[in-house]
């Protein structure tokens, strides 16, 4: 009878541990999913910043290549 009670206690302990592990796994899964969404958002923002930086660099290159009124004409 003591063995039966001991086995019952061990089984309940295992079930309890399993329940905690399932809860932990679900919490970790939720955290990973949230971090993945944040990572995707940050990647998109980085892409937009790079695109904006490239556009500004092109504008600066065009501005430096275009003649201004302060420069002498090419025949001087």
């Amino acid at each position: 009878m003591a063995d039966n009670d001991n086995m019952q206690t061990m089984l309940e302990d295992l079930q309890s541990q399993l329940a905690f592990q399932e809860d932990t796994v679900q919490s970790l899964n939720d955290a990973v999913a949230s971090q993945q969404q944040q990572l995707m958002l940050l990647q998109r923002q980085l892409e937009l910043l790079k695109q904006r930086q490239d556009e500004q660099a092109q504008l600066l290159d065009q501005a430096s290549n275009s003649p201004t009124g302060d420069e002498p004409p090419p025949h001087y």
Side-chain angles (χ1 to χ4, degrees):
M1 186 110 179
D3 285 339
N4 218 8
D5 289 341
N6 190 25
M7 290 291 265
Q8 182 67 28
T9 302
M10 288 173 47
L11 181 59
E12 289 172 1
D13 288 344
L14 287 173
Q15 289 174 336
S16 177
Q17 288 176 5
L18 179 61
F20 282 120
Q21 286 180 351
E22 288 175 344
D23 184 54
T24 300
V25 168
Q26 184 61 45
S27 295
L28 291 172
N29 187 46
D30 293 343
V32 169
S34 174
Q35 288 177 348
Q36 181 64 29
Q37 288 179 344
Q38 290 174 346
L39 180 60
M40 289 170 51
L41 176 64
L42 289 171
Q43 286 174 329
R44 181 64 182 142
Q45 289 174 340
L46 182 61
E47 289 171 3
L48 291 172
L49 285 172
K50 173 133 179 43
Q51 180 182 0
R52 184 181 295 170
Q53 184 182 21
D54 291 345
E55 290 170 356
Q56 289 178 349
Q58 286 177 348
L59 289 175
L60 285 175
D61 285 344
Q62 290 173 358
S64 66
N65 290 336
S66 65
T68 62
D70 297 337
E71 295 180 12
H75 63 276
Y76 279 103

